């Protein structure tokens, strides 16, 4: 019998613990090297951690995130104290504002008409990062509690994956942990932006019978576009979030009495605006453990 409820799941940062490891092992140190940050790399790591992991910008595309992180870096107290010349972000801002896809191919096309040594450096960095992640053979683990909970969801509901990763990468990552058997429909970036993916996955289900689970504002916005309830996996509290999903939210959703409001409040609190890092509010910077 076909299930009459659907649980749609984001992948990176929701099911799989990919975001911190990718930032800390590849994206951040390789950019600090590419841009010659020297002893100020720690300041950049703080900026990039905040933007990518602990702000409302969590989950945005790579060049958008770099623009935000370097904007914070340019005005970081350690950078100013060191007299480090700020990066000229004009070319990066123009590329991001173009609205082109932030792929290597699109950047290459843009560079033909808009020569920029700075963007050339970022393009080389992006390629080196992709190659390094691939060559590392690094496998991203699911958060604690995920396999058991996916099995429980799949016993009662249809399960869909909606993600901006390529479908082939998703298949590989989910299969590595035996998670594909809990998935009825897997949508990657080839099926459009997340809201479009969710709409197509949810075809045939009443919006109130669809639950979107995600870790970033893009996931929430996709849920809002469909008019379905959202359950957030809170950054830094992933295991607790999955337990609450399994024990409280999902059973309530099945009975039509899930109230997302309190969890949305916690989600908003956990992800403040990306231009207001804690150190600028005079608070003590808490970077958390690095992996
Ligand atoms: Mg995500």
């Amino acid at each position: 019998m076909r299930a009459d409820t659907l649980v749609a799941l984001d992948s990176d940062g929701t099911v799989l613990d990919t975001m911190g490891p990718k930032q800390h092992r590849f994206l951040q140190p390789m950019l600090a090297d590419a841009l010659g940050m020297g002893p100020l790399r720690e300041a950049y790591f703080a900026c990039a951690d905040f933007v990518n992991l602990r702000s409302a910008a969590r989950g945005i595309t790579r060049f958008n995130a770099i623009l935000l992180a370097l904007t914070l870096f340019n005005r970081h107290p350690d950078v100013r104290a060191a007299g480090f010349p700020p990066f000229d972000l004009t070319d990066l801002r123009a590329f991001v504002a173009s609205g082109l896809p932030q792929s290597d191919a699109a950047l290459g096309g843009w560079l033909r008409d808009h020569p920029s040594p700075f963007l050339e450096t970022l393009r080389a960095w992006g390629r080196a990062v992709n190659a390094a992640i691939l060559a590392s053979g690094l496998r991203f683990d699911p958060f604690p509690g995920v396999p058991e909970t996916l099995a429980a969801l799949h016993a009662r509901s249809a399960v869909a994956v909606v993600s901006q990763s390529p479908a082939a990468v998703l298949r590989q990552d989910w299969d590595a942990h035996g998670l594909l058997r809990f998935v009825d429909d897997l949508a990657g970036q080839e099926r459009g932006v997340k809201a479009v993916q969710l709409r197509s996955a949810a075809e045939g289900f009443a919006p109130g019978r669809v639950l979107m689970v995600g870790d970033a504002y893009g996931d929430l916005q996709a849920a809002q576009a469909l008019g379905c309830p959202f359950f957030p996996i809170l950054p830094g509290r992933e295991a607790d979030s999955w337990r609450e999903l399994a024990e409280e939210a999902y059973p309530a959703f099945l009975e039509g009495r899930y109230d997302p409001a309190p969890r949305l409040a916690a989600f908003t609190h956990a992800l403040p605006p990306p231009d207001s890092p804690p150190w600028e509010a005079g608070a003590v910077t808490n970077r958390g453990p690095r992996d």
Side-chain angles (χ1 to χ4, degrees):
M1 192 186 80
R2 189 177 187 272
D4 71 345
T5 52
L6 172 74
V7 180
L9 302 144
D10 167 60
S11 177
D12 287 17
T14 295
V15 167
L16 299 177
D17 186 8
T18 61
M19 298 186 59
K22 279 186 189 171
Q23 285 290 324
H24 297 154
R25 295 186 200 188
F26 303 103
L27 291 141
Q28 294 178 14
M30 290 175 74
L31 191 74
D33 288 344
L35 295 182
M37 290 174 179
L40 292 169
R41 54 200 286 120
E42 289 294 332
Y44 175 69
F45 296 162
C47 297
D49 260 20
F50 174 68
V51 166
N52 289 288
L53 305 179
R54 288 195 288 278
S55 85
R58 182 182 169 92
I60 61 166
T61 46
R62 209 176 260 191
F63 293 108
N64 263 313
I66 293 174
L67 178 59
L68 291 170
L70 288 179
T71 300
L72 293 182
F73 177 84
N74 278 346
R75 65 179 197 232
H76 190 283
D78 293 354
V79 174
R80 299 192 125 171
F84 190 85
F87 292 110
D88 181 350
L89 302 176
T90 313
D91 295 348
L92 176 57
R93 197 171 285 120
F95 174 61
V96 165
S98 74
L100 289 169
Q102 294 188 12
S103 63
D104 180 70
L107 178 55
W110 173 265
L111 278 166
R112 278 195 287 280
D113 299 328
H114 307 82
S116 162
F118 188 72
L119 287 180
E120 291 284 2
T121 302
L122 291 186
R123 188 182 187 204
W125 161 84
R127 289 177 160 189
V129 164
N130 293 345
I133 292 176
L134 214 60
S136 74
L138 185 64
R139 282 200 179 167
F140 301 102
D141 293 331
F143 290 110
V146 163
E148 303 87 325
T149 305
L150 282 182
L153 299 176
H154 192 242
R156 298 283 301 274
S157 301
V159 172
V161 179
V162 295
S163 166
Q164 281 305 300
S165 293
V169 173
L170 288 170
R171 248 174 239 293
Q172 188 179 324
D173 286 350
W174 282 60
D175 197 34
H177 298 286
L179 302 180
L180 266 188
R181 64 201 154 113
F182 306 127
V183 175
D184 300 292
D185 182 16
L186 181 143
Q189 61 183 207
E190 300 81 2
R191 273 173 56 184
V193 298
K194 209 163 268 194
V196 172
Q197 295 174 4
L198 179 59
R199 189 165 296 280
S200 94
E203 214 161 288
F205 295 92
R209 303 302 279 161
V210 176
L211 180 65
M212 174 72 201
V213 180
D215 70 308
Y217 268 92
D219 304 319
L220 171 61
Q221 285 158 356
Q224 288 172 333
L226 185 71
C228 76
F230 178 68
F231 181 88
I233 301 299
L234 298 177
R237 290 190 40 213
E238 290 88 355
D240 289 344
S241 300
W242 275 97
R243 191 168 50 247
E244 285 172 21
L245 175 63
E247 293 176 1
E248 298 165 25
Y250 178 64
F253 162 73
L254 288 178
E255 293 170 14
R257 55 175 184 80
Y258 168 59
D259 174 15
R263 288 187 173 83
L264 281 181
F267 183 64
T268 308
H269 181 74
L271 298 176
D275 61 350
S276 57
W279 57 87
E280 291 186 7
V284 177
T285 306
N286 179 10
R287 304 199 50 231
R290 293 180 69 83
D291 41 301

